Amino acid sequence: MERVAIIGASMTQFGQRDAWICELLAQAGQECLEDADVSPDAIDHLYVSNMASGEFEGQTGIPNALAHDLAAMPAYTARIDQTSSSGGAGVYAAWQSVASGASEMTMLVGGEKMTHRTTAEATDVIASITHPVEYKHGVTLPSFAGLTARLYLETYDAPRESLAKVAVKNHKNGVDNPHAQFQKEVDLETVLDSPIVADPLRLYDFCPITDGSAALMFCPESVAQEYTDNYAVVSGVGGATDTHVVHERSDPTTMRGVVESSQQAYEMADLGPEDVDVAELHDMFTILEFLQAEGVGFFEKGEAWKAVEEGVTERDGDLPINTSGGLKSKGHPLGASGVAQVYEIYKQVLGEAGPRQVDADVGLATNVGGFGNCVSTTILEGN
Amino acid sequence: MERVAIIGASMTQFGQRDAWICELLAQAGQECLEDADVSPDAIDHLYVSNMASGEFEGQTGIPNALAHDLAAMPAYTARIDQTSSSGGAGVYAAWQSVASGASEMTMLVGGEKMTHRTTAEATDVIASITHPVEYKHGVTLPSFAGLTARLYLETYDAPRESLAKVAVKNHKNGVDNPHAQFQKEVDLETVLDSPIVADPLRLYDFCPITDGSAALMFCPESVAQEYTDNYAVVSGVGGATDTHVVHERSDPTTMRGVVESSQQAYEMADLGPEDVDVAELHDMFTILEFLQAEGVGFFEKGEAWKAVEEGVTERDGDLPINTSGGLKSKGHPLGASGVAQVYEIYKQVLGEAGPRQVDADVGLATNVGGFGNCVSTTILEGN
């Protein structure tokens, strides 16, 4: 089977945007067409990754609206929803559309518009991901994060400061990302003194509520070579679920979906965690960066916090994580986040990441839905 | 590339159900596992076709809930939404997952729970499919249907009764479908005397609001042969969009997405409309059966109404259409409908359609989102 390539990418400014979902999608889509130098006529499939345009804005059918706005008709369209991992699921779907031969040119656009809703409203929409047996007790995703953070710190004798250092690192990276919601460093004291949200986690342990969109262009490698000499190959993809009912997990500090999906991606790519040069992990909460860094095999179980303490995951460390700023400072527009993760890896393996550039031939992105309920992992290599 | 097969199918009772969306999905999923004699452990991918569980019930993440309820973890899951054609889009996605090699066993479950909402509420959720430039003027899908029906009748000099005869025919078929919402014949006078909804269309020209779920099991043909001697082959799939803004269409009686998606499916299957023995068309409104029967090439433009008048599309006619009862009498639980269409074709090409059985080796299903905004076409053949 021919390999699947990515030949173009774009992302809008993340943050509070005075534009509705269809405008955000159209902006990223148009910029991706230009980046890839592809005509809208050439698009066979147009996927939109989005969790909740109906709930947030009362608008559905947004892939059709996008096909219209980009003049991409009669391209086939669909919306791919896997809650907060919709972007990663969209990457998996786009890969399948090309690998199956159904499409010779697939554009994926992920996006979400959330900031016009109050924090309580947005949190409630997101909490509708949780299983009703937990939701009815008032459980939200931040509460799972607090419980798991406490368990992790106690089980592995990790200092509270190690979590805060994830936030400090990712904010530092975000300063060099012009698309990030926050381009501003924070110091350890600011994180540790911020208001408690879900003990032991505080405000700066959480990603913000964000509007934004990102896009990627996929095609077979032979088609890619007609467009450019400089493309990335999707060498591994994988996806898996963990139980939807979090309290049924025997060890909440192990994210089974992360473990399974990364193993699938490594197997397809014929690579292992030791081959990865740069990674984007789904740091919706600081604790998730530890759980995922261990889940994808970068560090032994209970050891990820040491890597942060020792600077291993800094941009000048041995294994840079979240060079984009991560969800923490770049922002987390649900359906866009997984697409934007792969955008960052694409830029890194092509050597086009500007001031954020690290030495990277192989990059990995892991996108997590709910509290690890559904996970997609993508591995890219430069050509 | 190896062919993709369907080795099992199920559907729940359609109608007003005292069960919420996750229970409906789990029921169809469990019955499909039993029908295919597949263990949940064997499932690699689990797709859910659904338009609006968030808007109708405040519940998202339903594919994760289903993976949990069926003990199908760690199967990869995603929700495929293409409004009222979500089921057909799910079939296309399931085909791609197997054809790409990503999955050796994909279950697709489509479902929607709507009847707990008022007609006005349900209509408004569905109207959110329309483009805002039309939605803000109070346009709903039934209003498009009325306008297009009038245009068709006038342009092609078709009698009003021909539309009513679609309803009569499909209700007659529904009598023999134990899963149908209405298992009851209606006569021409009842249709023609029913209350006006969108002139010239009356209540009986419209499908009902429905709860229900349906499921299909996909795998490579070589794997199918390990499970059964009696399976269907997905010989053609296709998908396409028309403009999202209906008033921009030069001829609203031509459904471009239907034309394009069926041509793709015919080309893949190396078949033409003359080879099709039975079809399920998306008769959300009676007029749509005409537009689609012409769009997929069964009849010349403006001639489909004659086929209904002459009984060609009856169960004992040359080309039976909507043997299941169609959306008109079987019901239209949005995300389930396209899956249930392929369920009917699967049963027909395997010779398992019971009292509805017609002589069929090749069957076609066309699922329409919005007012033809996005269309998926599937062609099945018996093995």
Side-chain angles (χ1 to χ4, degrees):
Chain A
M1 182 190 296
E2 195 178 352
R3 300 196 300 178
V4 177
I6 298 179
I7 61 168
S10 68
M11 65 180 286
T12 71
Q13 181 66 46
F14 278 17
Q16 191 167 343
R17 294 290 306 274
D18 183 22
W20 71 304
I21 184 67
C22 290
E23 293 169 315
L24 292 173
L25 296 173
Q27 183 193 340
Q30 187 59 45
E31 290 174 6
C32 185
L33 285 168
E34 289 163 15
D35 187 60
D37 198 18
V38 165
S39 158
D41 299 340
I43 296 180
D44 293 320
H45 279 45
L46 178 61
Y47 287 127
V48 170
S49 293
N50 168 267
M51 171 174 164
S53 67
E55 294 90 321
F56 286 131
E57 294 186 280
Q59 182 70 43
T60 63
I62 57 175
N64 290 123
L66 183 61
H68 177 270
D69 293 346
L70 296 178
M73 297 160 305
Y76 173 70
T77 65
R79 181 168 72 110
I80 310 296
D81 162 36
Q82 193 35 262
T83 67
S84 32
S85 59
S86 297
V91 171
Y92 201 5
W95 179 89
Q96 289 180 17
S97 73
V98 174
S100 68
S103 174
E104 287 224 323
M105 190 64 72
T106 294
M107 187 158 72
L108 166 68
V109 186
E112 209 84 43
K113 174 75 181 100
M114 308 164 64
T115 63
H116 59 296
R117 303 296 291 267
T118 65
T119 299
E121 288 169 347
T123 301
D124 192 51
V125 170
I126 298 169
S128 71
I129 297 170
T130 59
H131 197 283
V133 301
E134 294 179 328
Y135 179 71
K136 71 182 178 190
H137 296 289
V139 160
T140 61
L141 295 183
S143 65
F144 285 137
L147 291 164
T148 309
R150 179 185 295 275
L151 180 64
Y152 184 93
L153 296 180
E154 289 184 4
T155 306
Y156 299 112
D157 204 20
R160 168 67 182 88
E161 289 71 20
S162 64
L163 289 172
K165 286 177 183 171
V166 171
V168 171
K169 166 179 73 70
N170 293 352
H171 269 272
K172 194 171 155 195
N173 288 337
V175 170
D176 288 324
N177 187 344
H179 297 114
Q181 182 164 7
F182 302 126
Q183 295 161 41
K184 184 179 153 189
E185 290 201 45
V186 296
D187 59 23
L188 203 58
E189 291 66 38
T190 303
V191 180
L192 293 172
D193 290 345
S194 64
I196 284 183
V197 174
D199 188 55
L201 299 181
R202 293 167 179 265
L203 186 63
Y204 273 86
D205 288 292
F206 294 87
C207 68
I209 291 170
T210 310
D211 309 325
S213 183
L216 298 164
M217 190 75 77
F218 298 78
C219 62
E221 187 167 15
S222 61
V223 174
Q225 288 162 345
E226 296 170 17
Y227 281 89
T228 178
D229 297 327
N230 204 25
Y231 58 86
V233 171
V234 184
S235 55
V237 283
T241 39
D242 200 341
T243 174
H244 192 219
V245 181
V246 176
H247 72 252
E248 289 181 2
R249 296 179 192 171
S250 57
D251 176 6
T253 68
T254 294
M255 302 197 95
R256 183 181 175 192
V258 172
V259 173
E260 298 273 354
S261 72
S262 63
Q263 284 175 350
Q264 291 169 25
Y266 289 135
E267 191 176 333
M268 185 185 294
D270 199 18
L271 295 171
E274 66 283 1
D275 300 307
V276 174
D277 302 313
V278 63
E280 290 282 304
L281 303 180
H282 191 97
D283 58 328
M284 180 165 57
F285 319 118
T286 49
I287 182 65
L288 289 188
E289 189 170 305
F290 291 168
L291 303 190
Q292 288 167 56
E294 295 168 9
V296 302
F298 293 156
F299 310 111
E300 293 295 317
K301 184 111 181 87
E303 304 272 320
W305 67 268
K306 295 178 188 168
V308 173
E309 292 279 352
E310 293 162 4
V312 173
T313 57
E314 298 272 348
R315 228 155 66 197
D316 59 0
D318 284 347
L319 179 52
I321 291 179
N322 287 325
T323 52
S324 70
L327 279 53
K328 179 68 194 84
S329 84
K330 187 177 55 185
H332 180 28
L334 306 167
S337 290
V339 183
Q341 289 181 314
V342 176
Y343 169 92
E344 178 71 9
I345 297 300
Y346 170 80
K347 291 292 184 187
Q348 289 286 357
V349 299
L350 292 193
E352 297 178 354
R356 306 190 306 283
Q357 186 66 51
V358 299
D359 184 19
D361 299 316
V362 177
L364 174 148
T366 290
N367 194 204
V368 170
F371 199 72
N373 303 7
C374 183
V375 182
S376 296
T377 298
T378 309
I379 297 174
L380 298 191
E381 298 180 59
N383 69 312
Chain B
M1 184 190 294
E2 195 178 353
R3 299 196 300 177
V4 176
I6 298 179
I7 61 168
S10 68
M11 65 180 286
T12 70
Q13 181 66 48
F14 277 17
Q16 192 166 340
R17 293 290 307 275
D18 184 23
W20 71 305
I21 183 66
C22 289
E23 293 169 317
L24 293 173
L25 297 174
Q27 184 193 340
Q30 187 59 46
E31 290 173 8
C32 185
L33 284 168
E34 289 162 16
D35 187 60
D37 198 20
V38 165
S39 158
D41 299 340
I43 296 179
D44 293 321
H45 280 44
L46 178 60
Y47 287 126
V48 171
S49 291
N50 168 268
M51 171 174 162
S53 68
E55 293 90 321
F56 286 131
E57 296 187 280
Q59 182 70 43
T60 64
I62 58 176
N64 290 122
L66 183 61
H68 176 269
D69 293 347
L70 297 177
M73 298 160 304
Y76 173 70
T77 66
R79 181 166 74 109
I80 311 295
D81 161 37
Q82 192 38 263
T83 66
S84 31
S85 59
S86 297
V91 171
Y92 202 3
W95 179 88
Q96 290 181 17
S97 73
V98 174
S100 68
S103 174
E104 288 224 323
M105 190 64 73
T106 294
M107 188 157 71
L108 167 67
V109 187
E112 209 83 44
K113 175 74 181 99
M114 307 164 64
T115 64
H116 60 295
R117 305 295 291 266
T118 66
T119 299
E121 288 170 346
T123 301
D124 192 52
V125 169
I126 298 169
S128 71
I129 296 170
T130 60
H131 196 283
V133 301
E134 294 178 327
Y135 178 73
K136 70 182 177 191
H137 296 288
V139 160
T140 62
L141 294 183
S143 65
F144 285 136
L147 292 164
T148 309
R150 179 185 296 275
L151 180 64
Y152 183 93
L153 296 180
E154 290 184 2
T155 305
Y156 300 110
D157 204 20
R160 168 66 183 90
E161 289 70 19
S162 64
L163 288 171
K165 286 177 182 170
V166 172
V168 171
K169 166 179 74 69
N170 292 352
H171 268 272
K172 193 171 157 195
N173 288 337
V175 169
D176 288 324
N177 187 345
H179 297 115
Q181 183 164 6
F182 303 126
Q183 296 161 41
K184 185 180 154 188
E185 291 202 44
V186 296
D187 58 24
L188 203 57
E189 291 65 38
T190 303
V191 179
L192 293 172
D193 292 345
S194 64
I196 285 184
V197 174
D199 188 54
L201 299 181
R202 292 168 180 265
L203 185 63
Y204 273 85
D205 288 292
F206 294 87
C207 68
I209 291 170
T210 312
D211 309 325
S213 183
L216 298 164
M217 190 76 75
F218 298 78
C219 62
E221 188 168 15
S222 61
V223 174
Q225 288 162 344
E226 296 170 18
Y227 282 89
T228 179
D229 297 326
N230 205 25
Y231 57 87
V233 171
V234 185
S235 55
V237 284
T241 39
D242 199 340
T243 173
H244 192 219
V245 180
V246 176
H247 73 253
E248 289 181 2
R249 296 179 194 171
S250 57
D251 175 7
T253 69
T254 294
M255 302 197 95
R256 183 180 176 193
V258 172
V259 174
E260 297 273 354
S261 71
S262 63
Q263 283 175 351
Q264 292 169 23
Y266 289 135
E267 191 176 333
M268 186 186 294
D270 198 18
L271 295 171
E274 65 283 1
D275 300 307
V276 174
D277 302 312
V278 63
E280 290 283 304
L281 303 180
H282 191 97
D283 59 328
M284 180 163 57
F285 319 118
T286 49
I287 181 64
L288 289 188
E289 190 171 303
F290 291 169
L291 303 191
Q292 287 166 55
E294 296 168 7
V296 303
F298 293 156
F299 310 111
E300 293 295 318
K301 183 111 183 87
E303 304 272 319
W305 67 268
K306 296 179 187 168
V308 173
E309 291 279 352
E310 294 161 6
V312 173
T313 57
E314 297 273 350
R315 227 157 63 197
D316 59 359
D318 283 347
L319 180 51
I321 291 179
N322 287 325
T323 53
S324 70
L327 279 51
K328 177 68 195 85
S329 85
K330 187 177 56 185
H332 182 27
L334 307 167
S337 290
V339 183
Q341 289 181 313
V342 176
Y343 169 93
E344 178 71 10
I345 297 300
Y346 171 80
K347 290 292 184 186
Q348 290 286 358
V349 299
L350 292 194
E352 298 178 354
R356 305 190 307 282
Q357 186 66 49
V358 298
D359 184 18
D361 298 316
V362 177
L364 175 147
T366 289
N367 194 204
V368 170
F371 199 71
N373 304 7
C374 183
V375 182
S376 296
T377 298
T378 309
I379 297 174
L380 298 192
E381 298 180 58
N383 70 311

